[in-house]
Amino acid sequence: MNRGIKIGLITFGILVFSLLGIGLGGWFYLKSKLFDFESEYSENSEFQAISSEGYTFLDRNGNGKLDVYEDSRRSTNERVEDLLAQMTIEEKIHLLKGSGMGSALGMTEPGKGIPGAAGVIVPTPRLGIPTIYLSDGPAGLRIEPSRENDPKKYYATAFPIATLLASTWNTDLVESVGDAMGEEALEYGVDVILGPGANIQRHPFNGRNFEYFSEDPLLTGFIGAAIVNGIESNGVGTSVKHFVANNQETKRNNNDVIVSDRAMREIYLKGFELIVRKSQPWTIMSSYNYVNGTYTSESKELLTDILRGDWGFQGVVMTDWFGGADAPAQIKAGNDLLEPGTKFQWDALLAAYEKGDLTIGEIDTAVRRILKLIIESRKMEGYNFSNEPDLTAHAAITQESASEGMVLLKNENTLPLLEGNNIALIGVTSYDFIAGGTGSGDVNEAYTISLEQGLINSGFEINAEAKAIYESHKNANPEEFIKPEGMNAMFQPYNPPQIEYTIDQLNNVASVADAAVLTIGRNSGEGGDRRELDDFLLTSTEKEMLKNTVEAFHQQDKKVIVVLNIGGVIETSSWKDQPDAILLAWQGGQEGGNSAANILSGKVNPSGKLPMTFPINVSDHASHKNFPLGGGSLSPTDFLSSGKVVPEEEKIRNEDYTVYEEGIYVGYRHFDKTDIPVSYPFGFGLSYTDFEFGDLDLIMENDTITIATTVKNIGQTTGKEVVQVYVSNLGTTIDRPVKELKGFSKTQNLSPDQVEEILIQIPVSELRYWDETKSTWVLESGTYTFQVGTSSRDIKLKAELEL
Ligand code: BGC
């Protein structure tokens, strides 16, 4: 062999070996730091029973006697203190961080753990303290449906997205949804659900808006508290997230939110505050971003002074996954638990303790809170979960709540459709309905009912010509119709291409069908923000499809209904005149198609109301000047980029930092103050019946104002209405919104002529504003106007009160 070739081959060989070595070394290094560093601490669950005074308990530490912490008759406090006293400092520090990413990536030993659960609170085997499982998320459990060597499927219910639940404005119903979510978690062995999300929808382009409730903090707080109460009634915890001001995905791990104290208190913190006060959740999840220069997970002001000091939060604060940069600083600030946990954090905590930077007092404070959660969990009680949640009952509540949260935006003598009609389904999403958003808010459900299936179930005929066009389009683009799963779905929302119909095709369909239902779909999620072109705005294909469908059907005197299967706001004003009816179906979970069909068929009378404004132009939002507009996705490495320091002069506006110049003027607070026309106002939604409001009375008693009125169904169809109370102080000497939602109530299902008395209570303290000069809430004296209506722009009754 030629000497040159020989040297070349040897060099190549060495290179390949070195790369392999580096690769393997790198993998083992990462594994030992991120995935698998808990070998000394595997869970111990074999305990002897121990009896005392006729009761039986578990001898968790195997010392042959009943310890205080093992005795469930003792108070949580006594049990926690006993445990704390028995723990070594190593065990305490060990408890402050999770066990790594292994479980989230499904890397659990067959038969052990819960594959797909995003994290854990680690066990303490010497004392028999169990593992606590933490799993996403806001629209249902995100666990792996398949397990190694196990033929069983562990499907979870895809409940409606949070935005849809808020659109119900029905706290009792949302509490029942929470109850079902909690039961499902309990029976799958999950102890804490990582949700709900309570961030404010500051701008329509946030890719995660579907996980959040509203642009309004009161609606966020009331709906959020209902879901927490429902879930926690099962003895399962929640993690209300992402605390706080995590309003964009772009550069979220390093984005610094520059915001006034007033906007924080009145808007971004307010929803969380209401949830804490009304439901005292087990945990709160701090967010990735900085607020005014400090990571939220390292902010003592947020986590200790405000959350615990001002609001009385009693639970655990955990980080978002890999959030923040300085583990000891997080514990000191009041962020008790670091998730999913890394070996780096473990080492940093030990080192800080040894150096005296992290005191035993600070460690004990965090450990106590975590122990309280463990002691109060069903796991500690020895609950034997079945892995058989009642998926049928959960599908039923999903269908019911999704039907109630869908919003009828337009209806010109079109809906409900006549049973038996031949319906032409136009657009890919009609056949491939989107259940929910992507990323950690995704759910691995067993099925999703499409609009097609839903309409069939409701007794409609599906137009065969239109269906054939869809089928041939799908067959021509097989790759693009493959749904990404798991981690892939996080970075790649499923958006199959739209059909380009010819005029002939549509004319042909219109000649056979009785009506057309055209669906516009959008899908977004964690890891990316949306953008204007081809997302907020309809694409050119969609515009053509709509225009041509309407023309073809109107020529034959037939109606066109648009169904919006979306997770966030889109532009509607340029095209809303064209169709005869518009149903905002949101993403209704796995029963979405049945729920939409319930509305289209009239089986359910729509009663959903918008939890945010639909603007004419996205730039009408005051926040638009300060929001990243480029869209795009985070890369997998961005997930681990917390703490990356960008030199001041290289910082990019709206990426490295975002200035909330609009202050408190988010959503309708801005539109109504500046009187900007909107496409659909906050609180808006039509019904198949009409309602009449009676007189308005304001009764002041014990620092609470009661708003009393009546609602009468004056139409022909049974239905529900939402009574909304907006308050203002027009004589104010400071800059205040002209309307702020301060209370609401949803009626029962009123039959024609039925009247319901409405009483809405508003504590006077809720009329205060945050005074930045005094750093406190202040109640202005003066005349307050109470406006009662069915949207922020449809006020039916007004009354004044002197305070
Ligand atoms: C998300 C959280 C989620 C966590 C665990 C993070 O990337 O921001 O909302 O709960 O992952 O999956």
Side-chain angles (χ1 to χ4, degrees):
M1 194 190 287
N2 169 317
R3 201 176 120 87
I5 297 182
K6 214 167 167 184
I7 293 176
L9 279 177
I10 292 172
T11 319
F12 180 70
I14 294 175
L15 203 74
V16 168
F17 265 108
S18 321
L19 283 176
L20 264 178
I22 294 171
L24 271 179
W27 163 244
F28 280 116
Y29 178 74
L30 277 182
K31 191 163 171 275
S32 65
K33 299 291 181 190
L34 299 178
F35 303 130
D36 187 7
F37 45 83
E38 291 284 322
S39 49
E40 314 268 292
Y41 282 88
S42 43
E43 182 168 4
N44 166 16
S45 44
E46 301 288 311
F47 308 117
Q48 298 294 319
I50 189 162
S51 297
S52 165
E53 296 163 8
Y55 294 93
T56 306
F57 306 94
L58 295 176
D59 183 13
R60 292 182 170 272
N61 59 6
N63 65 357
K65 70 179 184 70
L66 181 65
D67 290 78
V68 171
Y69 81 90
E70 293 164 344
D71 185 345
S72 54
R73 294 167 302 180
R74 308 294 284 258
S75 72
T76 302
N77 205 15
E78 287 171 303
R79 297 174 74 189
V80 165
E81 290 308 319
D82 182 47
L83 250 182
L84 193 72
Q86 297 200 34
M87 288 175 88
T88 65
I89 182 67
E90 286 76 19
E91 285 165 341
K92 289 177 181 176
I93 291 177
H94 176 245
L95 196 64
L96 302 179
K97 71 327 131 252
S99 68
M101 267 308 263
S103 147
L105 298 176
M107 291 159 61
T108 52
E109 275 177 55
K112 291 209 169 141
I114 303 178
V120 298
I121 297 178
V122 290
T124 308
R126 189 181 65 85
L127 297 168
I129 306 301
T131 309
I132 294 291
Y133 287 91
L134 319 171
S135 175
D136 288 310
L141 289 184
R142 192 172 61 86
I143 55 174
E144 286 297 322
S146 305
R147 297 184 185 174
E148 225 179 303
N149 305 331
D150 184 351
K152 185 181 158 61
K153 291 289 183 192
Y154 297 78
Y155 287 121
T157 306
F159 292 94
I161 57 168
T163 304
L164 182 151
L165 292 177
S167 306
T168 67
W169 295 61
N170 184 339
T171 49
D172 291 343
L173 180 61
V174 171
E175 189 163 335
S176 318
V177 175
D179 190 8
M181 287 176 167
E183 197 264 348
E184 196 155 316
L186 180 69
E187 293 309 332
Y188 274 144
V190 168
D191 305 285
V192 178
I193 294 181
L194 302 173
N199 293 102
I200 292 296
Q201 296 172 345
R202 171 177 176 257
H203 188 279
F205 291 179
N206 179 4
R208 294 188 87 169
N209 275 351
F210 76 95
E211 294 186 55
Y212 306 138
F213 297 116
S214 170
E215 69 186 19
D216 180 80
L218 181 112
L219 188 59
T220 297
F222 279 45
I223 298 289
I227 221 163
V228 169
N229 282 329
I231 293 173
E232 296 199 346
S233 67
N234 293 277
V236 166
T238 55
S239 195
V240 185
K241 65 192 189 183
H242 309 88
F243 188 73
V244 57
N246 184 178
N247 304 108
Q248 67 182 60
E249 284 298 278
T250 307
K251 278 271 185 118
R252 65 174 187 188
N253 292 60
N254 291 289
N255 177 261
D256 189 7
V257 172
I258 311 295
V259 56
S260 70
D261 284 353
R262 180 164 177 215
M264 279 295 275
R265 293 284 184 158
E266 292 186 21
I267 307 290
Y268 298 102
L269 288 167
K270 189 69 199 178
F272 286 97
E273 177 182 357
L274 289 166
I275 294 175
V276 168
R277 293 193 193 276
K278 284 170 163 285
S279 65
Q280 191 59 258
W282 286 20
T283 85
I284 296 272
M285 188 190 293
S286 55
S287 57
Y288 284 123
N289 51 293
Y290 296 87
V291 170
N292 297 326
T294 307
Y295 269 128
T296 58
S297 61
E298 294 170 16
S299 166
K300 180 176 165 294
E301 184 191 0
L302 286 170
L303 305 185
T304 299
D305 303 346
I306 296 178
L307 182 61
R308 289 169 167 123
D310 292 357
W311 306 345
F313 176 63
Q314 309 276 318
V316 170
V317 175
M318 69 176 79
T319 58
D320 198 347
W321 268 229
F322 302 111
D326 182 339
Q330 291 175 310
I331 302 297
K332 283 166 140 358
N335 193 117
D336 317 296
L337 180 63
L338 312 180
E339 286 295 338
T342 66
K343 184 71 169 65
F344 300 112
Q345 290 170 326
W346 191 355
D347 294 344
L349 293 175
L350 270 173
Y353 168 70
E354 277 157 12
K355 267 181 69 188
D357 290 346
L358 188 61
T359 66
I360 185 67
E362 288 161 338
I363 293 169
D364 280 353
T365 300
V367 170
R368 266 196 191 93
R369 294 178 184 138
I370 298 172
L371 290 178
K372 174 170 176 279
L373 185 155
I374 300 173
I375 294 279
E376 291 181 345
S377 71
R378 301 293 297 267
K379 227 6 105 44
M380 188 71 180
E381 206 180 84
Y383 184 77
N384 209 349
F385 58 92
S386 64
N387 274 324
E388 297 290 344
D390 191 347
L391 295 178
T392 312
H394 301 171
I397 185 82
T398 297
Q399 188 182 145
E400 182 190 347
S401 54
S403 308
E404 186 149 336
M406 292 185 179
V407 186
L408 184 63
L409 295 178
K410 175 175 180 179
N411 187 19
E412 282 178 357
N413 302 321
T414 302
L415 296 175
L417 292 166
L418 286 180
E419 203 184 319
N421 268 359
N422 180 292
I423 306 295
L425 288 175
I426 306 294
V428 284
T429 325
S430 296
Y431 301 91
D432 204 352
F433 227 41
I434 303 164
T438 58
S440 64
D442 187 23
V443 178
N444 296 309
E445 66 272 28
Y447 64 85
T448 298
I449 302 286
S450 66
L451 185 54
E452 178 194 16
Q453 190 57 50
L455 288 172
I456 295 171
N457 295 346
S458 284
F460 292 95
E461 219 177 79
I462 299 303
N463 180 269
E465 286 75 8
K467 171 90 192 256
I469 299 169
Y470 164 74
E471 288 296 351
S472 74
H473 171 72
K474 189 173 169 182
N475 292 337
N477 300 281
E479 295 289 308
E480 284 157 288
F481 278 83
I482 300 171
K483 266 195 189 142
E485 292 271 308
M487 287 304 256
N488 281 342
M490 222 151 181
F491 302 107
Q492 224 183 293
Y494 173 64
N495 283 319
Q498 190 50 275
I499 306 168
E500 296 189 17
Y501 295 88
T502 64
I503 305 235
D504 281 350
Q505 281 176 327
L506 291 170
N507 284 337
N508 183 30
V509 169
S511 66
V512 192
D514 294 311
V517 173
L518 181 154
T519 306
I520 301 286
R522 288 288 181 274
N523 204 357
S524 74
E526 178 173 3
D529 287 318
R530 299 172 55 213
R531 58 193 181 126
E532 185 160 23
L533 200 66
D534 295 344
D535 187 347
F536 181 73
L537 299 177
L538 297 195
T539 64
S540 51
T541 310
E542 287 167 338
K543 284 183 201 156
E544 281 289 290
M545 176 173 86
L546 176 62
K547 184 172 141 284
N548 295 337
T549 306
V550 169
E551 261 170 33
F553 277 75
H554 283 184
Q555 262 164 29
Q556 316 238 6
D557 271 339
K558 292 174 179 173
K559 308 279 193 185
V560 176
I561 300 106
V562 169
V563 170
L564 300 178
N565 181 204
I566 57 181
V569 174
I570 64 166
E571 190 276 331
T572 48
S573 79
S574 69
W575 56 265
K576 67 181 182 187
D577 287 346
Q578 297 175 44
D580 305 284
I582 306 173
L583 174 65
L584 170 56
W586 291 124
Q587 294 166 343
Q590 67 187 40
E591 289 282 325
N594 280 333
S595 304
N598 285 343
I599 304 285
L600 297 176
S601 67
K603 193 166 146 202
V604 173
N605 187 351
S607 65
K609 305 282 175 177
L610 292 179
M612 81 294 281
T613 312
F614 271 55
I616 292 181
N617 306 296
V618 67
S619 55
D620 294 341
H621 269 283
S623 57
H624 191 70
K625 276 189 268 160
N626 293 285
F627 195 88
L629 303 177
S633 301
L634 294 178
S635 73
T637 48
D638 285 338
F639 274 76
L640 294 168
S641 69
S642 289
K644 201 169 123 196
V645 179
V646 181
E648 211 53 44
E649 63 285 2
E650 286 173 27
K651 284 193 172 157
I652 302 175
R653 197 178 173 101
N654 299 333
E655 292 191 10
D656 298 300
Y657 65 98
T658 304
V659 187
Y660 287 23
E661 261 177 318
E662 73 283 359
I664 56 172
Y665 290 105
V666 176
Y668 70 91
R669 283 173 168 75
H670 164 64
F671 293 112
D672 288 353
K673 176 101 178 180
T674 44
D675 219 2
I676 293 177
V678 299
S679 188
Y680 296 107
F682 176 82
F684 176 82
L686 300 172
S687 164
Y688 295 152
T689 189
D690 291 306
F691 298 95
E692 187 181 76
F693 284 45
D695 293 339
L696 173 61
D697 275 325
L698 300 182
I699 307 138
M700 169 82 160
E701 217 173 45
N702 300 331
D703 287 333
T704 298
I705 302 151
T706 302
I707 286 87
T709 186
T710 55
V711 174
K712 180 177 180 187
N713 183 347
I714 54 166
Q716 309 299 316
T717 314
T718 298
K720 302 181 184 180
E721 179 58 298
V722 177
V723 181
Q724 306 166 25
V725 184
Y726 297 91
V727 182
S728 57
N729 176 356
L730 294 180
T732 180
T733 53
I734 54 149
D735 183 11
R736 291 186 85 167
V738 293
K739 271 185 217 116
E740 288 187 279
L741 183 75
K742 292 293 175 187
F744 64 89
S745 172
K746 190 158 198 173
T747 66
Q748 301 304 308
N749 213 10
L750 299 177
S751 33
D753 287 332
Q754 195 180 341
V755 180
E756 181 173 329
E757 273 187 45
I758 303 289
L759 296 175
I760 299 171
Q761 299 204 309
I762 303 175
V764 172
S765 57
E766 288 301 319
L767 305 183
R768 296 175 302 177
Y769 73 97
W770 183 259
D771 184 334
E772 292 194 335
T773 55
K774 299 195 185 111
S775 268
T776 187
W777 293 101
V778 167
L779 181 71
E780 272 188 300
S781 54
T783 312
Y784 284 77
T785 311
F786 291 75
Q787 307 189 54
V788 177
T790 56
S791 85
S792 88
R793 298 224 168 158
D794 184 10
I795 299 302
K796 312 268 187 207
L797 310 165
K798 262 189 200 184
E800 290 184 345
L801 191 75
E802 203 65 36
L803 285 176

